[in-house]
Coordinates of all heavy atoms in Angstrom, one line a residue:
T271 N 33.6 16.2 -11.6 CA 32.4 15.7 -10.9 C 31.3 16.8 -10.7 O 30.1 16.4 -10.6 CB 32.8 15.3 -9.5 OG1 33.5 16.3 -8.8 CG2 33.7 14.1 -9.5
G272 N 31.7 18.1 -10.7 CA 30.7 19.1 -10.5 C 29.4 19.1 -11.4 O 28.3 19.1 -10.9
P273 N 29.6 19.0 -12.7 CA 28.4 18.9 -13.6 C 27.5 17.7 -13.3 O 26.3 17.8 -13.5 CB 29.1 18.8 -15.0 CG 30.4 19.5 -14.8 CD 30.9 19.1 -13.5
A274 N 28.1 16.6 -12.8 CA 27.2 15.5 -12.5 C 26.2 15.8 -11.4 O 25.1 15.4 -11.4 CB 28.1 14.3 -12.1
F275 N 26.7 16.6 -10.4 CA 25.8 17.0 -9.3 C 24.8 18.0 -9.8 O 23.6 17.9 -9.4 CB 26.6 17.7 -8.2 CG 27.7 16.7 -7.5 CD1 29.0 17.1 -7.5 CD2 27.3 15.5 -7.0 CE1 29.9 16.2 -6.9 CE2 28.2 14.7 -6.4 CZ 29.5 15.0 -6.3
L276 N 25.2 18.9 -10.7 CA 24.2 19.8 -11.2 C 23.1 19.2 -12.0 O 21.9 19.5 -12.0 CB 24.9 20.9 -12.0 CG 25.9 21.8 -11.2 CD1 26.6 22.8 -12.2 CD2 25.2 22.5 -10.1
L277 N 23.5 18.2 -12.8 CA 22.5 17.4 -13.6 C 21.6 16.7 -12.7 O 20.4 16.6 -13.0 CB 23.2 16.5 -14.6 CG 23.9 17.1 -15.8 CD1 24.8 16.1 -16.5 CD2 22.9 17.7 -16.7
N278 N 22.1 16.1 -11.6 CA 21.2 15.5 -10.7 C 20.2 16.4 -10.1 O 19.0 16.1 -9.9 CB 22.0 14.8 -9.6 CG 21.1 14.1 -8.6 OD1 20.1 13.4 -8.9 ND2 21.3 14.3 -7.3
A279 N 20.6 17.6 -9.7 CA 19.7 18.6 -9.2 C 18.6 18.9 -10.2 O 17.4 19.0 -9.8 CB 20.5 19.9 -8.9
A280 N 18.9 19.1 -11.5 CA 17.9 19.3 -12.5 C 17.0 18.2 -12.7 O 15.8 18.4 -13.0 CB 18.6 19.7 -13.8
S281 N 17.4 16.9 -12.4 CA 16.6 15.8 -12.7 C 15.4 15.7 -11.7 O 14.4 15.0 -12.0 CB 17.4 14.5 -12.6 OG 17.8 14.2 -11.2
F282 N 15.5 16.3 -10.6 CA 14.3 16.3 -9.6 C 13.1 17.0 -10.2 O 12.0 16.7 -9.8 CB 14.7 16.9 -8.3 CG 15.6 16.0 -7.4 CD1 17.0 16.1 -7.5 CD2 15.0 15.1 -6.6 CE1 17.8 15.3 -6.7 CE2 15.8 14.2 -5.8 CZ 17.2 14.3 -5.9
A283 N 13.3 17.8 -11.2 CA 12.1 18.5 -11.8 C 11.2 17.5 -12.5 O 10.0 17.7 -12.5 CB 12.6 19.6 -12.8
A284 N 11.8 16.4 -13.0 CA 10.9 15.4 -13.7 C 9.9 14.8 -12.8 O 8.7 14.6 -13.1 CB 11.8 14.4 -14.3
V285 N 10.4 14.3 -11.6 CA 9.5 13.7 -10.7 C 8.5 14.7 -10.1 O 7.3 14.3 -9.8 CB 10.2 12.9 -9.6 CG1 10.9 13.8 -8.6 CG2 9.3 11.9 -8.8
L286 N 8.9 15.9 -9.9 CA 8.0 16.9 -9.4 C 6.9 17.2 -10.4 O 5.7 17.4 -10.1 CB 8.7 18.2 -9.0 CG 9.6 18.1 -7.8 CD1 10.5 19.4 -7.7 CD2 8.8 18.0 -6.5
F287 N 7.3 17.2 -11.7 CA 6.3 17.5 -12.7 C 5.3 16.3 -12.8 O 4.1 16.5 -12.9 CB 7.0 17.6 -14.1 CG 6.0 17.7 -15.2 CD1 5.4 18.8 -15.6 CD2 5.8 16.5 -16.0 CE1 4.5 18.9 -16.6 CE2 4.9 16.6 -17.1 CZ 4.3 17.8 -17.4
G288 N 5.8 15.1 -12.7 CA 4.9 13.9 -12.7 C 3.9 13.9 -11.6 O 2.7 13.6 -11.8
I289 N 4.4 14.2 -10.4 CA 3.5 14.2 -9.2 C 2.4 15.3 -9.3 O 1.2 15.1 -9.0 CB 4.3 14.4 -7.9 CG1 5.2 13.2 -7.7 CG2 3.4 14.6 -6.7 CD1 6.2 13.3 -6.5
S290 N 2.8 16.5 -9.8 CA 1.9 17.6 -9.9 C 0.8 17.4 -10.9 O -0.3 18.0 -10.8 CB 2.7 18.9 -10.2 OG 3.3 18.8 -11.5
R291 N 1.1 16.5 -11.9 CA 0.1 16.3 -13.0 C -0.8 15.1 -12.8 O -1.7 14.8 -13.6 CB 0.9 16.0 -14.3 CG 1.7 17.2 -14.8 CD 0.9 18.4 -15.3 NE 0.1 18.0 -16.5 CZ -0.7 18.8 -17.1 NH1 -1.0 20.0 -16.5 NH2 -1.4 18.4 -18.1
M292 N -0.7 14.5 -11.6 CA -1.5 13.3 -11.3 C -3.0 13.7 -11.1 O -3.3 14.8 -10.6 CB -1.0 12.5 -10.1 CG 0.2 11.7 -10.3 SD 0.7 10.8 -8.9 CE 2.1 9.9 -9.5
N293 N -3.9 12.7 -11.5 CA -5.3 12.8 -11.2 C -5.5 12.4 -9.8 O -5.6 11.2 -9.5 CB -6.1 12.0 -12.2 CG -7.6 12.1 -11.9 OD1 -8.1 12.8 -11.0 ND2 -8.4 11.3 -12.7
V294 N -5.7 13.3 -8.9 CA -5.8 13.0 -7.4 C -7.0 12.1 -7.2 O -7.0 11.3 -6.3 CB -5.9 14.3 -6.6 CG1 -6.0 14.0 -5.1 CG2 -4.6 15.1 -6.8
A295 N -8.1 12.4 -7.9 CA -9.4 11.6 -7.6 C -9.2 10.1 -8.0 O -10.0 9.3 -7.5 CB -10.5 12.2 -8.5
A296 N -8.2 9.8 -8.8 CA -8.0 8.4 -9.2 C -7.1 7.6 -8.3 O -6.8 6.4 -8.5 CB -7.5 8.3 -10.6
L297 N -6.5 8.3 -7.3 CA -5.6 7.6 -6.3 C -6.4 6.7 -5.4 O -7.5 7.0 -5.0 CB -4.8 8.7 -5.5 CG -3.9 9.5 -6.3 CD1 -3.2 10.6 -5.4 CD2 -2.8 8.7 -7.0
Y298 N -5.8 5.6 -4.9 CA -6.3 4.7 -4.0 C -5.8 5.1 -2.6 O -5.0 4.4 -2.0 CB -6.0 3.3 -4.3 CG -6.5 2.8 -5.7 CD1 -5.8 3.1 -6.8 CD2 -7.7 2.1 -5.8 CE1 -6.2 2.7 -8.1 CE2 -8.1 1.7 -7.0 CZ -7.4 2.0 -8.2 OH -7.8 1.6 -9.4
R299 N -6.3 6.2 -2.1 CA -5.7 6.7 -0.8 C -6.2 5.9 0.4 O -7.3 5.5 0.6 CB -6.2 8.2 -0.6 CG -5.5 9.1 -1.6 CD -5.9 10.5 -1.4 NE -5.0 11.5 -2.0 CZ -5.2 12.8 -2.0 NH1 -6.2 13.3 -1.3 NH2 -4.4 13.6 -2.6
A300 N -5.2 5.6 1.3 CA -5.5 5.0 2.5 C -6.0 6.1 3.5 O -5.6 7.3 3.4 CB -4.2 4.4 3.1
E301 N -6.8 5.7 4.5 CA -7.3 6.7 5.5 C -6.1 7.2 6.3 O -5.3 6.4 6.8 CB -8.3 6.0 6.4 CG -9.7 5.9 5.7 CD -10.3 7.2 5.5 OE1 -10.2 8.1 6.3 OE2 -11.0 7.3 4.4
P302 N -5.9 8.5 6.4 CA -4.8 9.0 7.2 C -5.0 8.6 8.7 O -6.1 8.5 9.2 CB -5.0 10.6 7.1 CG -5.8 10.8 5.9 CD -6.7 9.6 5.8
T303 N -3.8 8.3 9.3 CA -3.8 7.9 10.7 C -4.0 9.2 11.5 O -3.3 10.2 11.4 CB -2.5 7.3 11.1 OG1 -2.3 6.1 10.3 CG2 -2.4 7.0 12.6
P304 N -5.1 9.2 12.4 CA -5.3 10.4 13.2 C -4.2 10.6 14.2 O -3.5 9.7 14.6 CB -6.7 10.1 13.8 CG -6.8 8.7 13.8 CD -6.1 8.2 12.6
R305 N -4.1 11.8 14.7 CA -3.1 12.1 15.8 C -3.5 11.3 17.0 O -4.7 11.1 17.3 CB -3.1 13.6 16.1 CG -2.4 14.4 15.0 CD -2.4 15.9 15.4 NE -1.6 16.7 14.5 CZ -0.3 16.9 14.5 NH1 0.4 16.3 15.4 NH2 0.3 17.6 13.6

């Protein structure tokens, strides 16, 4: 089972790469809720 956990840990790099490469200006951002 150990290698399965390690492979999952490595897989998070994919979603982090995708988020970091997004064009922020093209997002349809909702207005943040003020405190």
Side-chain angles (χ1 to χ4, degrees):
T271 55
F275 298 123
L276 296 177
L277 286 172
N278 179 43
S281 74
F282 283 93
V285 72
L286 289 170
F287 174 80
I289 293 173
S290 67
R291 298 290 294 176
M292 284 184 177
N293 179 3
V294 177
L297 296 175
Y298 299 83
R299 287 181 166 179
E301 283 295 320
T303 299
R305 288 182 174 273

